[in-house]
Amino acid sequence: MTKIIDYNQVIFDNSYYLQPEAEEEGCRIDKFLSERIPEISRSYIQKLIKDGCILLDNHSVKSNYKVSSKDIIEVSFPKPKPIDIKPENIELEIVHEDNDIIIVNKPKDMVVHPAPGHYSGTLVNALMYHCGNNLSGINGILRPGIVHRIDKDTTGLLIVCKNDISHQKIAEQLSSHTITRRYQALVHGSLPNENGTINKPISRGNVERKIMTVNPNGKNAITHYNLITKYEFKNKQYSHIECKLETGRTHQIRVHMSYINHPLVGDTTYGYNIKNQPFKTMGQMLHAKKIGFIHPTSNSYVEYDSCLPEYFINILERLQIIS
């Protein structure tokens, strides 16, 4: 394979070539790579190391190897293996599509990519039917085209990539936190201030790994919020808010709003149990309404917006506005 070295990051023939910066010296190679290639998990990086897919001067390394600014690290991705993930003719709301990307408005109760217990009916199944083989392959055979995701019960906009070059460029923007992401949510209680910032690190729980928690040893997480409207319903108050993400941790808005004692309506994981939820929401009231980024081909900033889903609007219409 022809060697093409880019001292920042380049994808070529399904491989990356990376050179650490001076400030990254001494970092474990698995941590270094997971931070430089954020769309791939650290555990998958460790598997690649074990399988001999990560080389330094054509030699394999161990996960605890400490990188140097003189290193040229080659990361090769194995060719996708056949898997029985079938295309399904599922209707998609496509906000925008071109040769590089698709912007999809994901509905409630749709899983983004196949996983145990959800090998059909996912966004990936629908994308495979719509796009055929024209989806990026960086994230593996279970996640073609998927560069980021939102929860099953969260609605709204997602960027899907049709090729690896576009995938890499969008992933770099996600990693550098330059993508505009604005969500709308309905939360319990009346917010004391019309706007605010929650700057609290988040990590996985020590016992239940699927549940995230505010933890001083966690990853940096910043959520900005603005009040849209205050409401009242059966002597209880609610706040319709917009959240802007500065970082993109798992369940970030849900965890942060719960932390300040204003959990999302319908969120039985970080809020009230199902018996204390006032509305039938089928999960948290959270909608990824707006997304903006530098287009991978035109290099121009583009931004897309979506309407609130019908269930969200119906619940807002049942509430009484507090002036």
Side-chain angles (χ1 to χ4, degrees):
M1 182 176 69
T2 304
K3 295 285 185 182
I4 292 185
I5 302 297
D6 179 331
Y7 287 157
N8 293 311
Q9 195 163 324
V10 64
I11 185 166
F12 181 77
D13 286 352
N14 216 35
S15 294
Y16 286 94
Y17 296 87
L18 303 99
Q19 183 174 31
E21 303 290 344
E23 60 269 21
E24 294 171 312
E25 283 200 355
C27 181
R28 281 176 55 118
I29 192 169
D30 56 349
K31 184 175 187 291
F32 164 75
L33 290 172
S34 65
E35 291 177 350
R36 280 289 195 97
I37 316 174
E39 69 273 19
I40 298 174
S41 69
R42 188 167 174 177
S43 61
Y44 185 60
I45 290 289
Q46 291 170 345
K47 182 180 184 302
L48 290 177
I49 291 172
K50 185 178 179 180
D51 292 343
C53 296
I54 294 175
L55 302 176
L56 181 65
D57 296 328
N58 291 319
H59 296 290
S60 60
V61 294
K62 293 184 177 180
S63 295
N64 62 357
Y65 172 78
K66 304 296 179 61
V67 301
S68 164
S69 60
K70 297 179 181 180
D71 292 339
I72 301 297
I73 302 166
E74 178 182 351
V75 183
S76 299
F77 294 96
K79 292 183 179 179
K81 298 177 182 178
I83 193 169
D84 192 23
I85 302 298
K86 298 179 180 178
E88 297 179 23
N89 187 7
I90 301 170
E91 184 177 355
L92 289 174
E93 182 181 345
I94 296 175
V95 176
H96 169 82
E97 181 175 9
D98 57 40
N99 291 331
D100 299 296
I101 59 170
I102 307 174
I103 309 298
V104 177
N105 191 15
K106 188 189 82 68
K108 209 170 196 37
D109 199 37
M110 175 181 269
V111 175
V112 171
H113 57 76
H118 295 283
Y119 285 109
S120 65
T122 72
L123 178 62
V124 163
N125 295 108
L127 289 168
M128 289 174 66
Y129 182 91
H130 179 79
C131 299
N133 294 323
N134 295 322
L135 291 168
S136 65
I138 288 177
N139 251 351
I141 52 181
L142 291 179
R143 305 180 185 185
I146 303 302
V147 66
H148 68 124
R149 65 183 182 87
I150 55 179
D151 298 334
K152 172 187 174 186
D153 293 327
T154 298
T155 56
L157 300 180
L158 279 172
I159 309 170
V160 177
C161 295
K162 287 187 171 183
N163 54 68
D164 289 354
I165 297 297
S166 297
H167 189 126
Q168 177 58 27
K169 290 183 177 181
I170 297 299
E172 287 174 353
Q173 294 179 63
L174 285 165
S175 177
S176 60
H177 311 306
T178 57
I179 288 184
T180 299
R181 286 176 291 174
R182 295 184 185 272
Y183 291 71
Q184 288 194 15
L186 185 68
V187 302
H188 289 273
S190 177
L191 290 168
N193 301 306
E194 291 194 356
N195 55 70
T197 296
I198 308 168
N199 186 349
K200 294 292 179 180
I202 291 175
S203 69
R204 294 194 178 276
N206 292 327
V207 178
E208 179 52 70
R209 301 294 290 171
K210 291 183 179 180
I211 297 179
M212 311 301 290
T213 183
V214 168
N215 184 330
N217 297 318
K219 293 183 177 180
N220 182 45
I222 301 173
T223 303
H224 306 283
Y225 66 84
N226 291 286
L227 176 68
I228 297 174
T229 309
K230 287 187 178 181
Y231 290 99
E232 189 174 63
F233 182 76
K234 293 184 177 180
N235 297 320
K236 292 185 178 180
Q237 294 187 334
Y238 303 90
S239 299
H240 180 196
I241 63 172
E242 179 185 73
C243 292
K244 179 182 178 182
L245 293 183
E246 193 168 317
T247 55
R249 307 304 173 204
T250 301
H251 300 172
Q252 179 172 317
I253 293 173
R254 299 167 64 188
V255 173
H256 272 170
M257 295 312 299
S258 178
Y259 179 79
I260 64 169
N261 298 315
H262 293 283
L264 273 62
V265 171
D267 192 342
T268 57
T269 300
Y270 301 104
Y272 300 104
N273 63 37
I274 192 67
K275 292 182 179 179
N276 293 326
Q277 293 293 344
F279 312 105
K280 294 181 179 179
T281 61
M282 290 172 41
Q284 65 275 355
M285 290 188 66
L286 182 62
H287 178 69
K289 194 172 189 302
K290 183 177 292 185
I291 196 160
F293 52 94
I294 302 298
H295 191 278
T297 298
S298 70
N299 292 320
S300 299
Y301 180 78
V302 293
E303 191 169 270
Y304 301 95
D305 202 345
S306 62
C307 297
L308 287 174
E310 185 176 1
Y311 91 92
F312 203 127
I313 294 172
N314 289 341
I315 289 174
L316 291 181
E317 289 177 344
R318 294 174 60 187
L319 308 178
Q320 181 179 355
I321 295 176
I322 300 175
S323 58

